[in-house]
Amino acid sequence: QVQLVESGGGSVQAGGSLRLSCVASGYTSTMGWFRQVPGKEREGVAAIDRWRSSVYADSVKGRFTISKDNAKNTLTLQMNSLKPEDTATYYCATGAHVAELVPGRYNAWGQGTQVTVSS
């Protein structure tokens, strides 16, 4: 099974930016970013397929941009205009057949990277 490793999390003030990266150990087709806070279900943030067709959660549209480098098996999430409610552990995932935001459709997950946005 492909291994995923995220990086790029950190702490930032509201309005700031962060860039998350996820490197896969092998070929991936559809990939996605998800986030989770303690006590809540994991939610989809953005997903992209190998043709670079993407989908976003309404809460991040216009602020986050997902991109995928198929040659390098790397997934990126550029996060701008961050808000305190974006604070969460962010996970990358792969395995879905299409770009969708349903966690159960993905079968390989990274270990997560923490993003903290202060007001």
Side-chain angles (χ1 to χ4, degrees), residues 1 4 8 15 19 26 40 42 45-46 48 50 56-57 62 64 68 77 79-80 82 109:
Q1 190 174 16
L4 304 173
R19 185 179 181 89
K40 293 189 176 182
R42 191 166 298 186
V45 175
I48 188 168
R50 62 177 176 171
Y56 294 89
F64 291 10
K68 186 173 184 288
L77 185 69
M79 305 186 294
N80 298 328
L82 282 161
W109 294 82

PDB file of all heavy atoms in Angstrom, residues 1 4 8 15 19 26 40 42 45-46 48 50 56-57 62 64 68 77 79-80 82 109:
ATOM      1  N   GLN A   1       0.844  -1.181   0.000  1.00  0.00           N
ATOM      2  CA  GLN A   1       0.000   0.000   0.000  1.00  0.00           C
ATOM      3  C   GLN A   1       0.891   1.247   0.000  1.00  0.00           C
ATOM      4  O   GLN A   1       1.934   1.259   0.635  1.00  0.00           O
ATOM      5  CB  GLN A   1      -0.907   0.002   1.227  1.00  0.00           C
ATOM      6  CG  GLN A   1      -1.989   1.052   1.196  1.00  0.00           C
ATOM      7  CD  GLN A   1      -2.945   0.925   2.367  1.00  0.00           C
ATOM      8  OE1 GLN A   1      -2.660   0.262   3.350  1.00  0.00           O
ATOM      9  NE2 GLN A   1      -4.106   1.555   2.250  1.00  0.00           N
ATOM     10  N   LEU A   4       1.946   7.748   2.696  1.00  0.00           N
ATOM     11  CA  LEU A   4       1.780   9.186   2.521  1.00  0.00           C
ATOM     12  C   LEU A   4       2.414   9.919   3.698  1.00  0.00           C
ATOM     13  O   LEU A   4       2.195   9.531   4.847  1.00  0.00           O
ATOM     14  CB  LEU A   4       0.291   9.541   2.432  1.00  0.00           C
ATOM     15  CG  LEU A   4      -0.513   8.832   1.350  1.00  0.00           C
ATOM     16  CD1 LEU A   4      -1.997   9.153   1.508  1.00  0.00           C
ATOM     17  CD2 LEU A   4      -0.025   9.229  -0.034  1.00  0.00           C
ATOM     18  N   GLY A   8       4.424  20.698   6.519  1.00  0.00           N
ATOM     19  CA  GLY A   8       4.053  22.081   6.267  1.00  0.00           C
ATOM     20  C   GLY A   8       3.098  22.694   7.268  1.00  0.00           C
ATOM     21  O   GLY A   8       2.774  23.876   7.166  1.00  0.00           O
ATOM     22  N   GLY A  15      -5.683  35.317   8.891  1.00  0.00           N
ATOM     23  CA  GLY A  15      -5.337  36.096   7.712  1.00  0.00           C
ATOM     24  C   GLY A  15      -4.053  35.643   7.051  1.00  0.00           C
ATOM     25  O   GLY A  15      -3.757  36.055   5.920  1.00  0.00           O
ATOM     26  N   ARG A  19       1.302  26.387   3.589  1.00  0.00           N
ATOM     27  CA  ARG A  19       1.313  25.484   2.447  1.00  0.00           C
ATOM     28  C   ARG A  19       1.613  24.083   2.950  1.00  0.00           C
ATOM     29  O   ARG A  19       2.679  23.829   3.509  1.00  0.00           O
ATOM     30  CB  ARG A  19       2.369  25.930   1.431  1.00  0.00           C
ATOM     31  CG  ARG A  19       2.401  25.148   0.142  1.00  0.00           C
ATOM     32  CD  ARG A  19       3.488  25.718  -0.767  1.00  0.00           C
ATOM     33  NE  ARG A  19       3.583  25.054  -2.053  1.00  0.00           N
ATOM     34  CZ  ARG A  19       2.886  25.425  -3.120  1.00  0.00           C
ATOM     35  NH1 ARG A  19       2.064  26.459  -3.051  1.00  0.00           N
ATOM     36  NH2 ARG A  19       3.027  24.790  -4.270  1.00  0.00           N
ATOM     37  N   GLY A  26       4.407   5.992  -3.945  1.00  0.00           N
ATOM     38  CA  GLY A  26       4.189   5.383  -5.244  1.00  0.00           C
ATOM     39  C   GLY A  26       3.133   6.135  -6.020  1.00  0.00           C
ATOM     40  O   GLY A  26       2.718   7.226  -5.640  1.00  0.00           O
ATOM     41  N   LYS A  40     -14.806  15.695  16.785  1.00  0.00           N
ATOM     42  CA  LYS A  40     -15.608  15.875  15.576  1.00  0.00           C
ATOM     43  C   LYS A  40     -15.184  14.881  14.507  1.00  0.00           C
ATOM     44  O   LYS A  40     -14.080  14.339  14.538  1.00  0.00           O
ATOM     45  CB  LYS A  40     -15.483  17.304  15.061  1.00  0.00           C
ATOM     46  CG  LYS A  40     -16.096  18.355  15.972  1.00  0.00           C
ATOM     47  CD  LYS A  40     -16.121  19.715  15.293  1.00  0.00           C
ATOM     48  CE  LYS A  40     -16.815  20.757  16.161  1.00  0.00           C
ATOM     49  NZ  LYS A  40     -16.874  22.080  15.484  1.00  0.00           N
ATOM     50  N   ARG A  42     -14.029  13.536  10.848  1.00  0.00           N
ATOM     51  CA  ARG A  42     -13.115  14.013   9.827  1.00  0.00           C
ATOM     52  C   ARG A  42     -13.920  14.573   8.657  1.00  0.00           C
ATOM     53  O   ARG A  42     -14.902  13.962   8.228  1.00  0.00           O
ATOM     54  CB  ARG A  42     -12.214  12.867   9.362  1.00  0.00           C
ATOM     55  CG  ARG A  42     -11.054  13.276   8.501  1.00  0.00           C
ATOM     56  CD  ARG A  42     -10.045  12.149   8.368  1.00  0.00           C
ATOM     57  NE  ARG A  42      -9.468  11.792   9.659  1.00  0.00           N
ATOM     58  CZ  ARG A  42      -8.469  10.919   9.788  1.00  0.00           C
ATOM     59  NH1 ARG A  42      -7.954  10.328   8.719  1.00  0.00           N
ATOM     60  NH2 ARG A  42      -7.997  10.641  10.984  1.00  0.00           N
ATOM     61  N   VAL A  45     -11.750  18.552   2.776  1.00  0.00           N
ATOM     62  CA  VAL A  45     -11.355  19.932   2.498  1.00  0.00           C
ATOM     63  C   VAL A  45     -11.275  20.158   0.993  1.00  0.00           C
ATOM     64  O   VAL A  45     -11.876  21.081   0.456  1.00  0.00           O
ATOM     65  CB  VAL A  45     -10.001  20.256   3.149  1.00  0.00           C
ATOM     66  CG1 VAL A  45      -9.535  21.652   2.763  1.00  0.00           C
ATOM     67  CG2 VAL A  45     -10.090  20.112   4.664  1.00  0.00           C
ATOM     68  N   ALA A  46     -10.519  19.316   0.308  1.00  0.00           N
ATOM     69  CA  ALA A  46     -10.351  19.440  -1.143  1.00  0.00           C
ATOM     70  C   ALA A  46      -9.849  18.113  -1.683  1.00  0.00           C
ATOM     71  O   ALA A  46      -9.199  17.349  -0.975  1.00  0.00           O
ATOM     72  CB  ALA A  46      -9.370  20.558  -1.490  1.00  0.00           C
ATOM     73  N   ILE A  48      -8.552  16.089  -5.631  1.00  0.00           N
ATOM     74  CA  ILE A  48      -8.159  16.302  -7.023  1.00  0.00           C
ATOM     75  C   ILE A  48      -7.887  14.953  -7.669  1.00  0.00           C
ATOM     76  O   ILE A  48      -7.334  14.046  -7.028  1.00  0.00           O
ATOM     77  CB  ILE A  48      -6.919  17.225  -7.084  1.00  0.00           C
ATOM     78  CG1 ILE A  48      -6.582  17.636  -8.501  1.00  0.00           C
ATOM     79  CG2 ILE A  48      -5.718  16.590  -6.393  1.00  0.00           C
ATOM     80  CD1 ILE A  48      -5.544  18.768  -8.576  1.00  0.00           C
ATOM     81  N   ARG A  50      -6.412  12.638 -11.209  1.00  0.00           N
ATOM     82  CA  ARG A  50      -5.156  12.664 -11.974  1.00  0.00           C
ATOM     83  C   ARG A  50      -5.220  13.590 -13.171  1.00  0.00           C
ATOM     84  O   ARG A  50      -4.185  13.926 -13.748  1.00  0.00           O
ATOM     85  CB  ARG A  50      -4.790  11.250 -12.411  1.00  0.00           C
ATOM     86  CG  ARG A  50      -5.774  10.583 -13.323  1.00  0.00           C
ATOM     87  CD  ARG A  50      -5.267   9.228 -13.751  1.00  0.00           C
ATOM     88  NE  ARG A  50      -6.215   8.495 -14.567  1.00  0.00           N
ATOM     89  CZ  ARG A  50      -5.928   7.376 -15.191  1.00  0.00           C
ATOM     90  NH1 ARG A  50      -4.735   6.849 -15.088  1.00  0.00           N
ATOM     91  NH2 ARG A  50      -6.835   6.763 -15.901  1.00  0.00           N
ATOM     92  N   TYR A  56     -13.891  21.332  -3.774  1.00  0.00           N
ATOM     93  CA  TYR A  56     -13.580  21.976  -2.507  1.00  0.00           C
ATOM     94  C   TYR A  56     -14.794  21.998  -1.589  1.00  0.00           C
ATOM     95  O   TYR A  56     -15.935  22.099  -2.053  1.00  0.00           O
ATOM     96  CB  TYR A  56     -13.133  23.431  -2.729  1.00  0.00           C
ATOM     97  CG  TYR A  56     -11.834  23.587  -3.464  1.00  0.00           C
ATOM     98  CD1 TYR A  56     -11.789  23.669  -4.848  1.00  0.00           C
ATOM     99  CD2 TYR A  56     -10.628  23.669  -2.766  1.00  0.00           C
ATOM    100  CE1 TYR A  56     -10.587  23.805  -5.526  1.00  0.00           C
ATOM    101  CE2 TYR A  56      -9.419  23.819  -3.431  1.00  0.00           C
ATOM    102  CZ  TYR A  56      -9.415  23.884  -4.808  1.00  0.00           C
ATOM    103  OH  TYR A  56      -8.214  24.032  -5.473  1.00  0.00           O
ATOM    104  N   ALA A  57     -14.527  21.975  -0.314  1.00  0.00           N
ATOM    105  CA  ALA A  57     -15.586  22.224   0.659  1.00  0.00           C
ATOM    106  C   ALA A  57     -15.982  23.692   0.561  1.00  0.00           C
ATOM    107  O   ALA A  57     -15.133  24.558   0.288  1.00  0.00           O
ATOM    108  CB  ALA A  57     -15.093  21.907   2.070  1.00  0.00           C
ATOM    109  N   GLY A  62     -12.232  29.562  -2.577  1.00  0.00           N
ATOM    110  CA  GLY A  62     -11.695  30.900  -2.736  1.00  0.00           C
ATOM    111  C   GLY A  62     -10.512  31.205  -1.837  1.00  0.00           C
ATOM    112  O   GLY A  62      -9.839  32.228  -2.023  1.00  0.00           O
ATOM    113  N   PHE A  64      -8.450  28.253  -0.348  1.00  0.00           N
ATOM    114  CA  PHE A  64      -7.512  27.123  -0.456  1.00  0.00           C
ATOM    115  C   PHE A  64      -7.402  26.699  -1.911  1.00  0.00           C
ATOM    116  O   PHE A  64      -8.377  26.754  -2.655  1.00  0.00           O
ATOM    117  CB  PHE A  64      -8.003  25.940   0.367  1.00  0.00           C
ATOM    118  CG  PHE A  64      -7.960  26.129   1.859  1.00  0.00           C
ATOM    119  CD1 PHE A  64      -7.702  27.364   2.431  1.00  0.00           C
ATOM    120  CD2 PHE A  64      -8.188  25.040   2.694  1.00  0.00           C
ATOM    121  CE1 PHE A  64      -7.677  27.531   3.802  1.00  0.00           C
ATOM    122  CE2 PHE A  64      -8.156  25.187   4.075  1.00  0.00           C
ATOM    123  CZ  PHE A  64      -7.911  26.432   4.627  1.00  0.00           C
ATOM    124  N   LYS A  68      -1.610  18.997  -7.701  1.00  0.00           N
ATOM    125  CA  LYS A  68      -0.992  17.662  -7.694  1.00  0.00           C
ATOM    126  C   LYS A  68       0.058  17.581  -8.781  1.00  0.00           C
ATOM    127  O   LYS A  68      -0.207  17.950  -9.928  1.00  0.00           O
ATOM    128  CB  LYS A  68      -2.078  16.603  -7.901  1.00  0.00           C
ATOM    129  CG  LYS A  68      -1.627  15.164  -7.770  1.00  0.00           C
ATOM    130  CD  LYS A  68      -2.839  14.252  -7.826  1.00  0.00           C
ATOM    131  CE  LYS A  68      -2.475  12.792  -7.612  1.00  0.00           C
ATOM    132  NZ  LYS A  68      -1.770  12.220  -8.748  1.00  0.00           N
ATOM    133  N   LEU A  77      -1.489  21.732  -0.706  1.00  0.00           N
ATOM    134  CA  LEU A  77      -2.657  22.533  -0.357  1.00  0.00           C
ATOM    135  C   LEU A  77      -2.153  23.909   0.059  1.00  0.00           C
ATOM    136  O   LEU A  77      -1.511  24.049   1.106  1.00  0.00           O
ATOM    137  CB  LEU A  77      -3.454  21.898   0.779  1.00  0.00           C
ATOM    138  CG  LEU A  77      -4.758  22.614   1.136  1.00  0.00           C
ATOM    139  CD1 LEU A  77      -5.775  22.460  -0.005  1.00  0.00           C
ATOM    140  CD2 LEU A  77      -5.361  22.065   2.431  1.00  0.00           C
ATOM    141  N   MET A  79      -3.027  27.334   1.527  1.00  0.00           N
ATOM    142  CA  MET A  79      -4.109  27.852   2.361  1.00  0.00           C
ATOM    143  C   MET A  79      -3.859  29.329   2.630  1.00  0.00           C
ATOM    144  O   MET A  79      -2.852  29.689   3.256  1.00  0.00           O
ATOM    145  CB  MET A  79      -4.179  27.078   3.680  1.00  0.00           C
ATOM    146  CG  MET A  79      -4.316  25.578   3.490  1.00  0.00           C
ATOM    147  SD  MET A  79      -4.573  24.683   5.037  1.00  0.00           S
ATOM    148  CE  MET A  79      -3.011  24.983   5.844  1.00  0.00           C
ATOM    149  N   ASN A  80      -4.744  30.163   2.132  1.00  0.00           N
ATOM    150  CA  ASN A  80      -4.644  31.609   2.322  1.00  0.00           C
ATOM    151  C   ASN A  80      -5.821  32.106   3.152  1.00  0.00           C
ATOM    152  O   ASN A  80      -6.825  31.417   3.306  1.00  0.00           O
ATOM    153  CB  ASN A  80      -4.622  32.316   0.974  1.00  0.00           C
ATOM    154  CG  ASN A  80      -3.437  31.930   0.121  1.00  0.00           C
ATOM    155  OD1 ASN A  80      -2.352  31.644   0.626  1.00  0.00           O
ATOM    156  ND2 ASN A  80      -3.644  31.914  -1.187  1.00  0.00           N
ATOM    157  N   LEU A  82      -6.345  32.411   6.250  1.00  0.00           N
ATOM    158  CA  LEU A  82      -6.714  31.406   7.247  1.00  0.00           C
ATOM    159  C   LEU A  82      -7.535  32.014   8.376  1.00  0.00           C
ATOM    160  O   LEU A  82      -7.350  33.179   8.767  1.00  0.00           O
ATOM    161  CB  LEU A  82      -5.457  30.742   7.797  1.00  0.00           C
ATOM    162  CG  LEU A  82      -4.842  29.691   6.874  1.00  0.00           C
ATOM    163  CD1 LEU A  82      -3.403  29.417   7.245  1.00  0.00           C
ATOM    164  CD2 LEU A  82      -5.663  28.409   6.915  1.00  0.00           C
ATOM    165  N   TRP A 109      -3.929   6.760   4.196  1.00  0.00           N
ATOM    166  CA  TRP A 109      -3.900   8.030   4.889  1.00  0.00           C
ATOM    167  C   TRP A 109      -2.501   8.333   5.425  1.00  0.00           C
ATOM    168  O   TRP A 109      -1.754   7.423   5.804  1.00  0.00           O
ATOM    169  CB  TRP A 109      -4.874   8.005   6.078  1.00  0.00           C
ATOM    170  CG  TRP A 109      -6.294   7.884   5.659  1.00  0.00           C
ATOM    171  CD1 TRP A 109      -6.963   6.737   5.332  1.00  0.00           C
ATOM    172  CD2 TRP A 109      -7.226   8.958   5.506  1.00  0.00           C
ATOM    173  NE1 TRP A 109      -8.255   7.037   4.976  1.00  0.00           N
ATOM    174  CE2 TRP A 109      -8.444   8.396   5.073  1.00  0.00           C
ATOM    175  CE3 TRP A 109      -7.155  10.342   5.689  1.00  0.00           C
ATOM    176  CZ2 TRP A 109      -9.577   9.169   4.829  1.00  0.00           C
ATOM    177  CZ3 TRP A 109      -8.280  11.105   5.449  1.00  0.00           C
ATOM    178  CH2 TRP A 109      -9.462  10.529   5.018  1.00  0.00           C
TER     179      TRP A 109
END
